[in-house]
Amino acid sequence: MKLKNIAIVAAAAALAVGMTACGSSASSTAASSSVASSAAASSEAASSEAAASEAAEPTTAEYTVYNTTGSTVTDLYLYDAGSDEKGDNLAGENGLADSENIVITRDVEADKQSDVTYILEFTTEDGQTQSFETLHYEVAPISLLSVDAAAGATPIAFTAPEK
């Protein structure tokens, strides 16, 4: 698509230079301007198409969840808001040890992605359960925080831990 736009712009420029070399009149200048405008419109339309396809991204939601709680996370769930079913324990049989991470993916039809809201819930080995109830369909790093570190607005941070 970009190659086509470049070719259109190049053709418009060549036409404008050719008309100028032949002693252009007001009408040829208008024609040149019209061709250049058409090329610009085509380029803008292509840019809009690309932006629209990028806006539909991601086709797969991906959350890289880092355990930064200071203890093992024994239970980890990511489920639809409003659902009674949490699904499988994503922390696994042995839990998610401190400093470990897990990648969680979800696939939803493109036209329904903007309506998706998940709840991310986790419990640490000391029995502290926390949840974040407005997680949207996206690609994001998520650091789980301890109860003490989560004294702010949320029990998670949308960052990867520094190494």
Side-chain angles (χ1 to χ4, degrees), residues 61-65 78 102-104 118 135-138 140 142:
E62 181 178 284
Y63 310 96
T64 304
V65 179
L78 179 68
I102 183 173
V103 176
I104 304 169
Y118 293 119
L135 188 60
H136 296 283
Y137 198 87
E138 58 193 315
I142 299 173

Side-chain angles (χ1 to χ4, degrees), residues 109-120:
E109 294 174 21
D111 62 334
K112 296 179 182 173
Q113 292 175 6
S114 63
D115 298 329
V116 173
T117 302
Y118 293 119
I119 295 174
L120 180 68

Side-chain angles (χ1 to χ4, degrees), residues 73-136:
V73 170
T74 57
D75 298 282
L76 177 63
Y77 299 97
L78 179 68
Y79 57 96
D80 291 326
S83 174
D84 293 332
E85 179 60 36
K86 293 181 181 181
D88 295 333
N89 179 0
L90 301 171
E93 199 172 296
N94 299 320
L96 185 64
D98 187 45
S99 300
E100 287 186 343
N101 68 64
I102 183 173
V103 176
I104 304 169
T105 59
R106 293 288 188 265
D107 290 308
V108 174
E109 294 174 21
D111 62 334
K112 296 179 182 173
Q113 292 175 6
S114 63
D115 298 329
V116 173
T117 302
Y118 293 119
I119 295 174
L120 180 68
E121 181 179 305
F122 64 98
T123 303
T124 56
E125 63 189 343
D126 61 0
Q128 299 292 324
T129 298
Q130 299 186 81
S131 63
F132 183 78
E133 299 181 3
T134 57
L135 188 60
H136 296 283

Side-chain angles (χ1 to χ4, degrees), residues 41-62:
S42 294
S43 178
E44 186 175 323
S47 296
S48 295
E49 273 182 39
S53 68
E54 287 177 19
E57 300 283 332
T59 55
T60 298
E62 181 178 284

